[in-house]
Amino acid sequence: QVHLVESGGGSVLAGGSLRLSCSVSRPTSRYSNYCLAWFRQAPGEERVGVAAIDSNGPTNYGDSVKGRFTISHDRATNTLYLQMNSLKPEDSAMYYCALKWGGWKPPPLADTEYQHWGQGTQVTVSS
C-alpha cells in the first residue's frame, strides 16, 4: 500500500520561501523505477503539475515555477521535497504529492499519469 503524507504548508508573504515535504511509503514492487511529483490546485481551478522527479534523477518543472522552485528526493528517508522561493500570491493553492509507477524522461506533469496521491497541504501567499 502506497502512503503519501505532505507537510510544510503555511502562510507567507510574497517574496518569501517555504519547503514542502512528502513522506513516501511504498511496498516493494516489481517496478523499481517510479516518478514523484508535486501538483497544486487553487479553488475553482484545475489541478496542475508543478514539478516532477524520476527515480533516476531527471526533473521537470511547470513554466510558472521554473527558476523559483526546486524538487528533490531523499532516497535514504524516502522523502520528497519542494523548495519554493520568491513566492507569489498566484502560487497560493493546495499542494499535493503523487507517485507514478515506472520511470519516464522527462517525468510527466499530467495528473492522469499518477496513481497515488497524498491529502495535500495548503500554501497561502499574501501580498
Side-chain angles (χ1 to χ4, degrees), residues 37-79:
W38 289 98
F39 291 82
R40 68 186 182 188
Q41 186 170 24
E45 298 185 10
E46 293 185 353
R47 186 165 55 189
V48 297
V50 175
I53 186 166
D54 179 88
S55 52
N56 291 311
T59 58
N60 192 14
Y61 293 92
D63 288 342
S64 64
V65 305
K66 284 180 181 176
R68 300 189 299 123
F69 291 11
T70 303
I71 190 170
S72 61
H73 180 219
D74 185 335
R75 297 174 71 97
T77 62
N78 220 358
T79 303

Side-chain angles (χ1 to χ4, degrees), residues 25-44:
S25 62
R26 59 183 181 88
T28 299
S29 168
R30 62 189 179 99
Y31 296 110
S32 59
N33 296 325
Y34 53 90
C35 296
L36 291 165
W38 289 98
F39 291 82
R40 68 186 182 188
Q41 186 170 24

Side-chain angles (χ1 to χ4, degrees), residues 56-117:
N56 291 311
T59 58
N60 192 14
Y61 293 92
D63 288 342
S64 64
V65 305
K66 284 180 181 176
R68 300 189 299 123
F69 291 11
T70 303
I71 190 170
S72 61
H73 180 219
D74 185 335
R75 297 174 71 97
T77 62
N78 220 358
T79 303
L80 179 70
Y81 296 102
L82 184 69
Q83 178 66 43
M84 305 186 294
N85 298 328
S86 302
L87 282 161
K88 305 174 182 180
E90 51 264 43
D91 294 318
S92 297
M94 185 71 79
Y95 283 71
Y96 301 90
C97 64
L99 181 146
K100 167 192 179 314
W101 292 119
W104 204 256
K105 298 176 181 60
L109 291 175
D111 60 354
T112 52
E113 294 285 339
Y114 290 80
Q115 293 87 30
H116 304 282
W117 294 83

